Amino acid sequence: MAVTAILATGCAPGAMAPDILATPRPPVVAPEPSPEDSDPAPIGEPTSPAPTVVSSPIFTPTSRPTPTLTSSPVLSPEPSPSPEPQPTPAETETVRPEPEAPPAPPALLEQGASGDSVRDLQHRLLQLEWFEGKITGSYGDATRLAVEGFQTKRGLRATGAVDQATLDVLNAMTRQPTQDEMYNVLRPGPAILAPGSQGDDVKDLQARLKQIGWFHDAIAETYGPKTTEAVRGFQEKRQIPVTGEVDQRTLDRLYGMTRKPTSDELNNVVPEKAPTPAMVLDDRCLQGRVICISKSQRRLAWVIDGKIQSTMDVRFGSVQTPTRNGVFSVYWKSRDHVSSLYDSPMPFALFFSGGQAVHYSADFAARGYDGASHGCVNVRDKQAVMALFDASREGDKVVVYQ
């Protein structure tokens, strides 16, 4: 009988116990087979003796039956969508805030203020000819404009209000006003020249008054009625006690506005004038009745149908108060006009644009181009502007050009 190996059970079909695979069995000696149990040898083949030793069988694990699977269609995995490229955010430019302007220095005096401090301010500005008229003690438009002009001229911050820097510069350039000056109390001083005086000092006085349009007669050595009248007019204009006599205040103010007369002026020698070049007219001045005003030539021409009737020197507004360019018309004539804003005379005024007018200016006659107007067109030739005033009519064209 063949030897049967006993296997452990309990494993899955086709699996072998782990200990059988790991530990070999000792050899088994088989007994001699009996003839009954032997198969007959095939005919024609030699019979070999059977081996006497049988080694332990080597068990090959039975392969597990492969289950038959019904094939299903293999679905290829859908390709995952490629991520859309995200736009790279553009580099944002860093906006740096503009540096803030430094704050205006605190105002010591400004529009709306009143009192003795304002009176002191106004008189100091009056000394420098930035302020005109009576001392009021009220900080109004005239005071603000005077302060703004002073600040601009001196390279200070032009606010129209008085800060410490403005006050320091103004005080350094002026003297302390007297109580009478601050309250418009005019007291004449002792007379230096008076009616009846004679000599070279009288001639000098007359020549200086003639330079600024107050004296019109021939220069003489005698202080007569014409000289007295001229002195009174000058004193009234300059807020000096009106006496017709020359005191130190009158003389100082007159000297401050005039130059030393030449020998010809003192002796009534009239120099020959060089011929004045013809004025170049703007094309808009060639038809009709036109007051033609050129800023670059600093001249005014009265023109009728393209023909120049007369010309005169003119002066214009400052950078802060410029004279407007353009085509206008005379809308109002005022022979003895006085400025409502500055309380200053504007004789023979021909208004053409808002408050701007052509008019005579004694200041222009005295100082020439050292000063400026508040926007008006100043004429220093009194006779010429008087003739223009009489010849012009409301509605006449006014052309102001560069």
Side-chain angles (χ1 to χ4, degrees):
M1 179 181 282
V3 179
T4 305
I6 301 173
L7 300 177
T9 62
C11 295
M16 298 178 61
D19 56 343
I20 294 175
L21 294 174
T23 306
R25 296 283 184 180
V28 178
V29 178
E32 286 287 277
S34 64
E36 295 83 356
D37 295 330
S38 307
D39 288 332
I43 299 175
E45 291 184 9
T47 304
S48 301
T52 58
V53 180
V54 180
S55 57
S56 296
I58 298 173
F59 296 95
T60 303
T62 306
S63 61
R64 177 184 299 177
T66 304
T68 304
L69 298 176
T70 304
S71 63
S72 301
V74 179
L75 300 177
S76 300
E78 293 185 4
S80 58
S82 301
E84 294 184 5
Q86 298 296 323
T88 304
E91 293 185 6
T92 56
E93 183 179 351
T94 304
V95 179
R96 294 182 179 157
E98 292 287 336
E100 294 184 2
L108 304 178
L109 291 171
E110 58 187 343
Q111 191 160 2
S114 60
D116 282 354
S117 296
V118 178
R119 289 180 179 275
D120 181 276
L121 168 67
Q122 290 172 334
H123 195 276
R124 289 179 184 273
L125 291 168
L126 180 66
Q127 293 173 37
L128 301 175
E129 298 188 355
W130 282 106
F131 186 80
E132 292 184 348
K134 291 185 177 181
I135 306 302
T136 64
S138 297
Y139 202 126
D141 286 336
T143 307
R144 177 182 59 80
L145 289 171
V147 169
E148 188 174 325
F150 173 79
Q151 289 171 326
T152 302
K153 176 74 172 178
R154 302 300 161 189
L156 300 167
R157 187 167 183 175
T159 61
V162 179
D163 54 27
Q164 190 62 54
T166 302
L167 191 61
D168 290 345
V169 176
L170 181 62
N171 286 346
M173 296 179 64
T174 54
R175 58 174 176 79
Q176 175 67 46
T178 66
Q179 188 75 3
D180 285 351
E181 288 172 332
M182 288 172 56
Y183 281 86
N184 306 297
V185 178
L186 305 178
R187 303 182 190 277
I192 299 172
L193 293 171
S197 298
Q198 292 185 338
D200 288 343
D201 289 341
V202 175
K203 293 174 67 176
D204 181 271
L205 169 67
Q206 292 170 342
R208 287 178 183 272
L209 288 168
K210 197 167 191 176
Q211 288 177 22
I212 55 177
W214 285 106
F215 189 77
H216 305 288
D217 287 3
I219 304 299
E221 295 183 353
T222 303
Y223 197 126
K226 294 291 186 180
T227 306
T228 303
E229 182 184 353
V231 170
R232 289 179 64 88
F234 175 79
Q235 289 171 328
E236 184 177 7
K237 168 71 174 179
R238 303 301 164 186
Q239 304 295 312
I240 298 171
V242 180
T243 62
E245 299 177 346
V246 178
D247 59 6
Q248 191 62 53
R249 182 190 290 115
T250 303
L251 198 61
D252 290 344
R253 194 65 184 275
L254 180 62
Y255 272 51
M257 297 180 62
T258 56
R259 54 175 172 75
K260 183 178 179 179
T262 65
S263 176
D264 285 349
E265 289 173 330
L266 293 171
N267 293 284
N268 302 301
V269 177
V270 179
E272 293 184 6
K273 290 185 178 180
T276 303
M279 181 174 170
V280 178
L281 299 179
D282 185 273
D283 289 345
R284 294 168 291 181
C285 300
L286 301 180
Q287 293 182 349
R289 299 161 56 88
V290 188
I291 298 174
C292 197
I293 304 168
S294 169
K295 288 184 175 180
S296 61
Q297 299 174 79
R298 297 198 295 191
R299 297 175 71 190
L300 177 154
W302 170 232
V303 184
I304 297 178
D305 294 330
K307 294 182 179 180
I308 296 177
Q309 308 299 309
S310 63
T311 61
M312 55 205 78
D313 296 336
V314 287
R315 184 177 73 171
F316 304 97
S318 65
V319 175
Q320 288 72 36
T321 55
T323 304
R324 291 181 280 274
N325 289 358
V327 179
F328 312 95
S329 62
V330 176
Y331 68 86
W332 182 31
K333 296 173 62 175
S334 180
R335 180 176 291 272
D336 299 308
H337 191 79
V338 177
S339 169
S340 59
L341 182 59
Y342 302 104
D343 194 31
S344 57
M346 298 168 54
F348 310 111
L350 300 170
F351 287 91
F352 62 87
S353 175
Q356 296 188 353
V358 176
H359 68 84
Y360 171 72
S361 169
D363 184 75
F364 181 30
R367 299 170 59 197
Y369 293 101
D370 288 340
S373 75
H374 291 101
C376 288
V377 179
N378 292 164
V379 181
R380 59 183 169 186
D381 187 333
K382 194 171 186 177
Q383 299 302 317
V385 74
M386 185 189 305
L388 174 65
F389 182 89
D390 292 337
S392 63
R393 299 193 294 251
E394 292 182 6
D396 285 342
K397 186 192 294 186
V398 178
V399 178
V400 183
Y401 60 100
Q402 198 60 40

